[in-house]
Amino acid sequence: MRHHTVTDSPYGPLTLVADAEGALCGLYMTDQRHRPAHDTFGPRDDSLRVFGETREQLAAYFAGETRRFTVRLGLHGTPFQRRVWDQLTEIPYGQTRSYGRLALALALGTPGASRAVGLANGRNPVGIIVPCHRVVGSDGSLTGYGGGLDRKRRLLAFERGSERAEEGVLF
């Protein structure tokens, strides 16, 4: 049984989803690509511990007080997707990596590996916390982001210190 809640952020409402074990298994933005149907989120329950911890950590992140999340995750995906998502957590705050560089880090030397990494990246169920926004094209260009390119641009600018979430510039 899953449960969900909704929390505010400088990027608009975020829907948080917890799995039966009490781990965070979803963080979805409004109008996010690959957002599951609302009825899969389970009933609303604002009191779950993981939701309180996630809210606190997100608030600290948006205030510039933390750069890494420690909330317990319950990521549900294919083994390959999970390998990619693990790699995403290794990208340092304020930095980016290309899809090709991630493919090399995963020891994927096959043609199309960058595309496979991109597809797995796009299915990341806990954006921001698993920082898929830090992945860019080989030339440094901003490419797809489930939350939209404007949010991706603003998240990257925020992490580089050129925008401040608490000033509301990110809307």
Side-chain angles (χ1 to χ4, degrees):
M1 166 71 83
R2 292 182 173 199
H3 290 88
H4 81 281
T5 191
V6 178
T7 191
D8 290 327
S9 84
Y11 299 91
L14 300 175
T15 300
L16 308 178
V17 182
D19 64 17
E21 288 77 39
L24 187 72
C25 65
L27 183 155
Y28 301 102
M29 299 175 185
T30 305
D31 301 323
Q32 180 170 331
R33 189 176 345 129
H34 305 301
R35 180 183 168 113
H38 184 77
D39 62 356
T40 66
F41 297 158
R44 185 166 179 156
D45 183 347
D46 299 333
S47 68
L48 291 181
R49 180 181 191 158
V50 69
F51 294 152
E53 292 171 355
T54 302
R55 280 188 187 100
E56 288 174 12
Q57 290 182 31
L58 285 168
Y61 169 80
F62 291 127
E65 298 168 357
T66 190
R67 295 176 170 207
R68 197 154 180 93
F69 295 91
T70 59
V71 65
R72 188 165 70 98
L73 299 176
L75 301 180
H76 304 278
T78 68
F80 177 74
Q81 288 172 330
R82 292 177 66 157
R83 285 181 58 211
V84 171
W85 301 336
D86 285 344
Q87 273 299 308
L88 297 177
T89 65
E90 299 303 317
I91 303 172
Y93 179 94
Q95 296 183 26
T96 59
R97 296 290 183 273
S98 70
Y99 295 99
R101 187 165 171 191
L102 286 175
L104 287 173
L106 291 163
L108 303 174
T110 60
S114 295
R115 182 167 169 73
V117 167
L119 291 172
N121 189 51
R123 294 289 184 169
N124 172 19
V126 287
I128 301 173
I129 291 176
V130 174
C132 53
H133 60 278
R134 296 179 188 157
V135 184
V136 297
S138 60
D139 62 357
S141 63
L142 296 187
T143 56
Y145 180 61
L149 286 180
D150 187 54
R151 284 186 181 127
K152 180 174 188 166
R153 184 179 301 105
R154 291 177 173 167
L155 278 165
L156 291 172
F158 166 70
E159 288 188 359
R160 290 182 177 142
S162 58
E163 290 193 16
R164 297 187 53 186
E166 62 272 15
E167 292 175 355
V169 177
L170 301 174
F171 285 101

